[in-house]
Structures are given as structure tokens and as C-alpha cells.
Amino acid sequence: MLLFVVSAGLPAALVLGAVTGWSRSVIGAPAWVSWTLAALAICIGAPFAWFSTPSGTRSATNLLLKAYRREGLEAVERQYLSVLAPHRAGLQLFNLALALDRAGDQDDACTVYRHAADRGFPPAMMNLAYCLSLRGEEDEAQDWYRRAVEAGYPRAVPGQGDGA
């Protein structure tokens, strides 16, 4: 939400400043500079604002899903996710895995969950643990449940009591 406010609000403020002449009077810039700054802010801010909305997030996930089906996971990570911080890349991979899971492709979803979990994304760790548990790989599943909790995931580890 903060990203949406900043990426939509800043361009709006610059356009308002250019229209009212505020940017000319405050920073002493000529009108063309004020309008150029406003146009650049809109061109950069609008995509950020769009992709921070639920519809934009779905569009980004659909883009990754199409690229994944067309080119494979390695290409998606190299072309689309390599520029992101590990946590953001983990989030995008997690969303891709959820989309694959919803489409009924559990094997590929588990593979993508593993990549997201390897980037340190706790919800992916939990979902990977669940996938492994369904496959009967309980030891590795318990390890991923433990890692998710250690990474700050707020749910209890299945199969372990609270000590009471």
C-alpha cells in the first residue's frame, strides 16, 4: 500500500506543482523542466503503482506463469527475478508456485516452492514442507517446517506439541 501511495502520489504532486507553477517558484526551474519532471514521474510511478495493486500483482504473476510455461524456471529467474532482492524474488516465486498449484500442477509448484524457500521466503518454506509431507518425505518436511518457524512464520509446526 505504501508503494502505491508513493508511486501514485509523487507524480500527482509533481503534476500539480507544474500546473500551479509551484515548482517554478520554489526551485526556480523553468516551466519545461517542471513538466519534464512531472512526465518522468508519471512514466516511472504509474507502473509501480499498478503492480502494487491486487490486479497488478495478478498481472505480474500471469506474466511469470506464461514465461515459466514457455521458457522454464531458470529463464524466469534469470530474466525477471535476478534484479530483485532475494525476499522480493522469493515472493514472486511463491506467487508463481501458488498459480501453478491452482492450475493443478503440484509437481512444478513444489519445485518452485523450493526455489522460493531457498531464497528465504517463510510462506514458501511452509508450503514446501506441506508438499514434501504429502509425498511422504516426512524428515525433510519437518526440517522445512522448523526453518519456516525459525524464519518468523507465525504458525505452529505440525506434529509437534507446545510442550504442555
Side-chain angles (χ1 to χ4, degrees):
M1 186 64 178
L2 178 65
L3 177 62
F4 177 76
V5 170
V6 170
S7 48
L10 182 63
L14 287 174
V15 168
L16 184 62
V19 168
T20 62
W22 176 84
S23 56
R24 282 179 290 184
S25 64
V26 171
I27 63 174
W32 69 270
V33 171
S34 299
W35 281 103
T36 302
L37 288 174
L40 284 173
I42 289 171
C43 291
I44 294 169
F48 279 123
W50 165 252
F51 282 115
S52 66
T53 65
S55 297
T57 302
R58 282 191 302 276
S59 295
T61 301
N62 287 336
L63 173 73
L64 288 178
L65 184 59
K66 288 176 186 174
Y68 173 79
R69 294 199 189 283
R70 187 177 57 245
E71 301 167 20
L73 184 58
E74 291 77 23
V76 166
E77 288 183 315
R78 185 179 61 250
Q79 293 174 352
Y80 298 102
L81 304 176
S82 62
V83 297
L84 299 176
H87 185 76
R88 293 295 297 173
L91 171 64
Q92 294 302 323
L93 286 168
F94 178 72
N95 288 336
L96 174 60
L98 286 175
L100 288 165
D101 210 355
R102 280 192 300 271
D105 195 352
Q106 279 75 29
D107 290 337
D108 283 349
C110 287
T111 300
V112 178
Y113 281 135
R114 183 175 298 277
H115 282 253
D118 288 339
R119 290 178 186 249
F121 194 69
M125 294 175 190
M126 191 63 76
N127 285 18
L128 173 61
Y130 181 72
C131 284
L132 293 169
S133 180
L134 289 177
R135 292 180 181 175
E137 301 174 31
E138 286 300 322
D139 291 339
E140 189 178 0
Q142 289 300 320
D143 182 49
W144 280 107
Y145 281 126
R146 181 187 50 75
R147 288 184 191 183
V149 171
E150 288 173 358
Y153 198 76
R155 301 213 177 149
V157 178
Q160 295 182 3
D162 58 4

